[in-house]
Amino acid sequence: MTTNDSIFRAVGLNKQYNQHYILNDVSVDLTQGEILGIWGVNASAKTTLIKVLSGIVSVDTGIFYIENVPYSSISCQKGTFLGISAILGDEQLAFNMSAGDNIYLGSFQPKAFYTPWYHQKALEKEANKHLQHYQCSIDLNAKLQTLTVAERYIILIMRAVVRSAKVLLIDDCLSEMDRKEQQEFIRLLKQLSSEGFAILIASQNIIQLTQVCDSIQIIQDGYLSPKYHTKDENTYLTDVMKNRVLFPKMHLTKGDIIYQCSQLSYGNALKNISLEIHEGEIIGIIGASGSGKSTLAKVIAGHLHNTSGTTRINHRTVKIRNKSDARRHGIALISNTVDNNNLVPDMNLSDNILLGNYRQSSHRFLPFVISSTKETLISINLQDNLEMELSKSEQVKHLSNGTQKKIAFSRSIMSGAQLLLLDEPSVSIDNIGKVQIYNIINNLLLSKKAIILFSSNVLEVINMCERILILKDGEIVDEIISQETTADDLYKMIYTVN
């Protein structure tokens, strides 16, 4: 039940972190009974947008209209009072309390003459009334650990309902549910919509959004597209696939096999992974959130010890039990965060690169002394190959995400790594920074390095990789040649539920 009555509107929202625009002149308009989908790849600021709209995170500039009343800013408390409720997941739940207590957490005010027993009974009666109305069956006395993902999200929605919410802002949740849970949750959202709730749901699964939403907006590089109505002829999906970044892909002749793994497993998270990669080759591993991409990268890099399977480096069987083993055999993982790349925020750029690579940069006769000549050569190499000036004084924490990624690349190059594992390399980087990263990748391939690109960005893997492996529930379910597929087809292969 959608109407033309705007119930919640935000205009010209801007949010910066470290001089990087996370949200750039973003506008959202929710009408009564509308279900609006926000689609974006991993780390495209979907969660930030929800937190800004609900007042959890302050906005730099912008204005909010709630039932056409303007507000220059809203806090979390004011947003709740005005009927705006963010549904973010487990972080909002108290796992030491029952399901019923979680529904009324922070909102139930018993009368002075209520006894604790009467208070509990009144709570259960009210909660059961709402659950029955929305045809949801949940044991109110159950501990949250025993509930499914869908049931935990339903508890958060019931909490919003008892707080008289009018607007529900739901962060990516459908991808965590199985098919039956998804269908039940979608039914609930449509019932809420029919009763006049305005709903915004963010997800990186555009196929699921088309099943539940009246309209969809695309968030990318800090910008939000106009609305696309899902009844239209998939024009929104075509726009999603537009190539907004120049991908400077090079086509090189593959060399000998560098890395092979066979039947690699890690508990229930990874099952019988087998792959191989050659010198000068880049392959992509893509999957939805929770498919096991990051786990696989950590197992290959020795951050996690596989429970079964074999590994061969340059045709020799080796054991990768930890990060030291991986480094010794020429494997390096470049993650998508400063912490996971073991960068030290308070150290300068040069020291971070040299950290862990002192053997390559130390004086010939004084191994505990850094050679100024070698340090100068490192500086020249960085300027020539990584398009980066070496600063003696500037701390890493003041540098952009793109520059921090380049530092991680530099350290891996210095360590002599032959196989580089790139986990979401272009996340939270502007378009110029992305092209620079892609150029670095090409230079590495020219020097006969091998690269495995772990990404949730379909355009990135199609345009930069030779082969693409699709990961679902910890298993490789398909391998395709990038030139033989389209972005539309690849999205459907990744996100369609079997």
Side-chain angles (χ1 to χ4, degrees):
M1 182 199 78
T2 58
T3 71
N4 293 324
D5 300 328
S6 179
I7 192 170
F8 178 65
R9 187 158 51 102
V11 179
L13 301 182
N14 290 285
K15 183 65 181 177
Q16 279 185 296
Y17 289 115
N18 297 326
Q19 299 182 334
H20 175 68
Y21 272 100
I22 304 299
L23 301 176
N24 196 333
D25 196 26
V26 165
S27 295
V28 174
D29 188 2
L30 274 169
T31 58
Q32 188 175 12
E34 179 183 13
I35 303 179
L36 170 65
I38 301 293
W39 179 87
V41 297
N42 190 33
S44 57
K46 302 185 296 294
T47 301
T48 301
L49 176 60
I50 286 177
K51 289 182 176 180
V52 164
L53 292 174
S54 60
I56 295 173
V57 172
S58 62
V59 68
D60 296 335
T61 58
I63 189 165
F64 302 86
Y65 294 88
I66 300 171
E67 295 184 323
N68 294 319
V69 177
Y71 297 87
S72 58
S73 65
I74 57 173
S75 63
C76 184
Q77 186 176 9
K78 182 188 284 188
T80 302
F81 176 76
L82 294 170
I84 302 168
S85 187
I87 311 294
L88 301 174
D90 286 351
E91 64 188 81
Q92 295 175 298
L93 294 168
F95 277 79
N96 60 333
M97 298 173 66
S98 68
D101 289 338
N102 266 278
I103 290 175
Y104 279 91
L105 187 64
S107 60
F108 190 84
Q109 299 295 329
K111 296 180 181 179
F113 57 82
Y114 277 11
T115 65
W117 177 86
Y118 193 88
H119 172 197
Q120 187 69 24
K121 288 298 178 184
L123 183 152
E124 289 180 5
K125 183 179 179 181
E126 286 295 311
N128 270 316
K129 183 177 73 174
H130 290 295
L131 289 171
Q132 288 171 10
H133 175 75
Y134 290 104
Q135 304 170 48
C136 299
S137 178
I138 296 177
D139 180 4
L140 294 177
N141 295 314
K143 293 296 183 183
L144 295 189
Q145 292 91 334
T146 65
L147 302 182
T148 65
V149 172
E151 288 172 335
R152 296 201 295 269
Y153 273 94
I154 289 170
I155 286 171
L156 290 173
I157 288 176
M158 292 302 107
R159 184 191 293 174
V161 169
V162 302
R163 291 180 179 180
S164 303
K166 306 167 190 172
V167 178
L168 303 178
L169 309 173
I170 306 174
D171 199 12
D172 199 343
C173 62
L174 290 172
S175 59
E176 302 177 48
M177 304 177 190
D178 62 31
R179 189 169 187 175
K180 184 178 179 181
E181 290 176 327
Q182 287 174 11
Q183 291 173 342
E184 175 62 20
F185 195 74
I186 288 171
R187 181 204 61 76
L188 172 61
L189 293 182
K190 289 185 175 179
Q191 182 178 347
L192 289 163
S193 167
S194 69
E195 295 178 2
F197 285 86
I199 301 171
L200 181 150
I201 180 168
S203 177
Q204 61 176 328
N205 188 333
I206 199 166
I207 306 299
Q208 290 173 344
L209 288 180
T210 60
Q211 296 171 356
V212 63
C213 298
D214 303 304
S215 50
I216 291 175
Q217 289 181 269
I218 302 158
I219 187 166
Q220 187 175 13
D221 301 328
Y223 296 91
L224 196 63
S225 75
K227 281 185 182 180
Y228 298 94
H229 295 286
T230 54
K231 293 180 181 179
D232 295 343
E233 281 296 322
N234 286 347
T235 54
Y236 60 91
L237 193 55
T238 302
D239 215 42
V240 167
M241 306 310 172
K242 284 183 179 177
N243 188 346
R244 293 180 57 184
V245 179
L246 176 64
F247 294 94
K249 178 72 180 75
M250 298 179 68
H251 298 281
L252 303 172
T253 303
K254 294 188 297 187
D256 199 5
I257 295 174
I258 282 183
Y259 175 88
Q260 290 174 290
C261 68
S262 178
Q263 303 296 305
L264 208 64
S265 297
Y266 179 72
N268 294 321
L270 295 177
K271 306 158 195 170
N272 302 321
I273 301 293
S274 297
L275 61 90
E276 66 178 36
I277 186 167
H278 300 247
E279 293 175 344
E281 183 183 23
I282 177 170
I283 64 173
I285 295 182
I286 192 167
S289 177
S291 61
K293 298 189 304 295
S294 294
T295 302
L296 177 56
K298 289 175 181 177
V299 168
I300 294 174
H303 293 219
L304 299 172
H305 183 26
N306 58 292
T307 51
S308 63
T310 59
T311 300
R312 292 172 64 84
I313 306 287
N314 296 322
H315 303 289
R316 291 177 54 244
T317 300
V318 299
K319 289 190 179 294
I320 307 292
R321 290 160 295 198
N322 49 49
K323 290 187 279 186
S324 296
D325 287 343
R327 282 196 297 268
R328 190 170 61 256
H329 291 293
I331 301 174
L333 170 62
I334 299 174
S335 186
N336 60 358
T337 65
V338 180
D339 291 341
N340 288 338
N341 284 319
N342 296 320
L343 300 182
V344 182
D346 292 324
M347 289 175 64
N348 65 39
L349 188 153
S350 175
D351 289 341
N352 264 281
I353 293 170
L354 298 178
L355 191 64
N357 291 309
Y358 288 115
R359 180 176 297 179
Q360 291 89 333
S361 54
S362 61
H363 195 281
R364 181 179 178 184
F365 300 109
L366 298 171
F368 298 105
V369 177
I370 299 297
S371 166
S372 59
T373 302
K374 289 187 177 181
E375 194 173 11
T376 302
L377 289 174
I378 292 168
S379 173
I380 293 171
N381 176 270
L382 289 174
Q383 291 176 18
D384 290 346
N385 297 321
L386 303 184
E387 304 175 30
M388 178 170 60
E389 294 292 334
L390 189 66
S391 170
K392 285 284 188 182
S393 58
E394 192 167 18
Q395 295 174 325
V396 165
K397 65 184 178 183
H398 298 309
L399 302 176
S400 68
N401 289 323
T403 302
Q404 291 173 2
K405 287 272 176 71
K406 292 177 185 179
I407 295 170
F409 272 106
S410 306
R411 184 188 290 175
S412 300
I413 293 167
M414 276 194 66
S415 70
Q418 292 299 305
L419 173 62
L420 285 91
L421 314 174
L422 311 184
D423 189 9
E424 303 284 4
S426 64
V427 162
S428 303
I429 298 176
D430 60 26
N431 285 348
I432 294 175
K434 287 176 184 177
V435 173
Q436 290 175 342
I437 293 293
Y438 298 144
N439 283 330
I440 293 170
I441 289 173
N442 284 333
N443 288 334
L444 292 169
L445 295 173
L446 281 169
S447 62
K448 297 191 179 298
K449 309 288 187 185
I451 296 173
I452 302 179
L453 178 60
F454 298 84
S455 178
S456 55
N457 187 329
V458 165
L459 289 175
E460 186 171 71
V461 295
I462 283 181
N463 286 283
M464 289 302 297
C465 301
E466 307 287 348
R467 296 180 287 131
I468 303 169
L469 307 180
I470 299 174
L471 199 64
K472 279 189 181 181
D473 299 324
E475 295 183 86
I476 293 176
V477 296
D478 206 351
E479 178 178 336
I480 55 178
I481 306 300
S482 59
Q483 293 180 335
E484 298 176 0
T485 190
T486 65
D488 294 49
D489 290 340
L490 188 52
Y491 262 103
K492 289 170 185 175
M493 283 187 274
I494 295 167
Y495 291 112
T496 300
V497 179
N498 294 327

